[in-house]
Amino acid sequence: MTSFDTVPNRLGTGSSKWSRYAEDVLPMWVADMDFPAAPAIIEALQKRLEHPVLGYGVARDELRDQIVADMAMLYGWAITRDDIVFLPGVEPGFNMALKAMLSPGDSVVVQTPIYRPILNAPGHWGLVREDAALAPSPSGWMIDKDAFSSKLASSKALLFCNPHNPTGKVFTRDELTWIAGECQTHDTLIISDEIHCDLLLDGRRHIPIATLSPDAAQRTITLMAASKTYNIAGMKTAFAIIQNPQTREKFASSRLGMVDSVNILGLEATLAAFRGATVWKAELLAYLQSNRDFLMGEIARRFPAIRCVAPEGTFLAWLDCSALQLTPDPQSFFLEKGKVAFSAGSEFGSAYRDYVRLNFGCSRASLEEGLRRMETALLARTAGEQ
Ligand SMILES: Cc1ncc(COP(=O)(O)O)c(C=O)c1O
């Protein structure tokens, strides 16, 4: 049984999460968990390093076959080896897709609030971003169907994210069916970032949007990786699944000059994760779920003014701090007064400056410490006001 309660000290390891702020700040920002990689992954990397040549890498058939088998087993999705294109990251993947498939001036729909590289990607390619905001409700995050449809009608692509970062929303089959149907009606390309696909809580099952209909299969570029689930994002390895051969060819040719071969160790780590770390994954999900439940309980008890729709997947919680009126904004407030670093809401869209995103992919002790720091910051403010 893996103990996620014990985590190594990451200071001085070149971790971007632990390097951005001073050492007395607790980092709870970037989507990177504090847990060691599964033993199966570390062993596979050590074994690979017994061979001392580390030239350019290419995915072995074993990895392609493993992904084909996993897609069938996990999602009932029949793909072939040739549908898979390996990439050094999901972010390069959605940028390649926009570059390959759209022309400057075309519009792309995104569902805000949204992960900053998705928010910014259309701008890199001279595209117009159309924001279709998700709205919080007691039963979860909702799509404003009329707004979404009308934006989609004038757009060439939907840059979709499921599970959704930062809200942790997991789209239901009904919602996915509706979205895929709208994309068919409006002949819209779907670029689906499914990097968090194996991080579903409460027994939910991921549904790749490409599996919803033969039409969706043909119009979707799906992007996945082992990186988030198995906490190996620094290995820079991901893959696209593209079942339409013309789209795949265009997509693959857009890598020229920019997105070359994939990290040779990342390919080994990905294979080991999918092949040998499924028990670890189940244990991780149980830990994340209990962190999520603890977090939601503590927010209700200690910070009733903060609103948060319980995340259904990911290890990210999206906290609406607007009722607290924190200045200059909640991220800076908690950083300065509490020495805890969240991601700033404004990174996810201009309407979200009163939000922060909290990463609960950490030990329970760190999560408790983060909440304690929030409380200290808020108490200091109340004392200062009196
Ligand atoms: C939704 C989403 N897409 C993409 C990425 C980045 O993926 P990569 O490191 O593979 O480029 C992240 C990282 O946090 C993410 O949350």
Side-chain angles (χ1 to χ4, degrees):
M1 183 88 184
T2 311
S3 169
F4 293 95
D5 280 331
T6 317
V7 293
N9 180 349
R10 298 176 70 189
L11 287 171
T13 63
S15 147
S16 94
K17 181 179 188 180
W18 286 84
S19 304
R20 175 178 283 191
Y21 298 102
E23 284 193 13
D24 61 348
V25 170
L26 180 65
M28 303 187 89
W29 59 287
V30 66
D32 167 326
M33 300 187 285
D34 284 332
F35 310 124
I41 298 175
I42 302 300
E43 281 157 25
L45 291 174
Q46 282 165 339
K47 182 155 181 291
R48 177 60 186 80
L49 287 172
E50 284 169 13
H51 192 292
V53 182
L54 297 170
Y56 290 122
V58 66
R60 292 188 279 131
D61 284 347
E62 274 173 275
L63 176 54
R64 288 182 185 273
D65 290 344
Q66 182 72 39
I67 293 173
V68 169
D70 278 6
M71 292 302 135
M73 186 189 65
L74 296 170
Y75 317 124
W77 190 9
I79 63 160
T80 70
R81 272 184 186 175
D82 293 340
D83 296 339
I84 308 168
V85 182
F86 285 91
L87 303 165
V90 162
E91 183 181 348
F94 54 70
N95 277 285
M96 279 169 64
L98 293 175
K99 174 175 178 257
M101 306 301 295
L102 278 74
S103 308
D106 288 346
S107 296
V108 187
V109 174
V110 304
Q111 290 174 295
T112 50
I114 190 71
Y115 173 62
R116 180 161 57 178
I118 291 184
L119 195 69
N120 291 344
H124 299 329
W125 308 105
L127 305 169
V128 179
R129 198 186 73 220
E130 292 287 349
D131 295 351
L134 291 169
S137 86
S139 55
W141 289 88
M142 310 296 289
I143 306 167
D144 175 341
K145 290 191 169 174
D146 291 341
F148 183 89
S149 270
S150 78
K151 286 174 197 274
L152 207 66
S154 57
S155 297
K156 286 274 164 56
L158 167 67
L159 181 42
F160 187 51
C161 183
N162 181 35
H164 184 262
N165 174 359
T167 62
K169 175 180 173 60
V170 173
F171 288 83
T172 62
R173 181 174 290 278
D174 282 353
E175 287 171 326
L176 293 168
T177 305
W178 181 80
I179 292 172
E182 288 296 299
C183 290
Q184 180 168 7
T185 304
H186 300 298
D187 193 19
T188 316
L189 172 74
I190 304 173
I191 304 165
S192 189
D193 176 338
E194 300 183 14
I195 196 169
H196 293 277
C197 59
D198 282 337
L199 289 170
L200 267 59
L201 306 177
D202 315 306
R204 288 182 179 80
R205 301 290 297 269
H206 178 68
I207 305 171
I209 195 165
T211 60
L212 285 169
S213 65
D215 177 82
Q218 289 301 307
R219 66 173 64 255
T220 302
I221 295 174
T222 304
L223 299 162
M224 290 180 168
S227 58
K228 293 289 151 190
T229 307
Y230 298 94
N231 206 31
I232 51 173
M235 301 301 299
K236 301 308 297 179
T237 302
F239 53 92
I241 299 176
I242 309 173
Q243 291 174 287
N244 178 313
Q246 285 85 32
T247 306
R248 193 166 60 239
E249 206 170 298
K250 272 191 176 175
F251 175 86
S253 63
S254 76
R255 72 194 306 154
L256 293 177
M258 284 196 307
V259 178
D260 199 358
S261 59
V262 177
N263 182 320
I264 197 163
L265 294 179
L267 293 166
E268 293 299 332
T270 301
L271 178 58
F274 290 157
R275 190 184 266 176
T278 44
V279 173
W280 183 95
K281 178 176 79 176
E283 292 169 351
L284 169 79
L285 288 176
Y287 195 85
L288 290 178
Q289 193 169 308
S290 90
N291 266 3
R292 190 271 321 262
D293 292 343
F294 174 75
L295 174 66
M296 294 307 293
E298 291 303 285
I299 289 174
R301 190 172 70 81
R302 290 155 78 175
F303 313 111
I306 296 181
R307 280 177 301 163
C308 177
V309 176
E312 300 163 336
T314 78
F315 44 84
L316 307 166
W318 182 237
L319 310 186
D320 176 357
C321 305
S322 44
L324 291 170
Q325 298 188 315
L326 301 174
T327 52
D329 60 77
Q331 197 275 347
S332 313
F333 173 84
F334 287 121
L335 179 61
E336 279 159 30
K337 304 274 191 294
K339 304 271 182 215
V340 56
F342 302 124
S343 299
S346 55
E347 289 180 15
F348 301 82
S350 55
Y352 304 100
R353 63 182 303 283
D354 287 325
Y355 289 70
V356 289
R357 191 192 68 180
L358 179 154
N359 174 346
F360 59 86
C362 58
S363 68
R364 176 62 63 83
S366 270
L367 182 54
E368 284 175 6
E369 176 60 15
L371 293 166
R372 196 190 61 74
R373 290 178 185 222
M374 283 174 78
E375 193 163 50
T376 307
L378 290 168
L379 286 174
R381 184 181 74 139
T382 315
E385 280 166 1
Q386 281 163 359

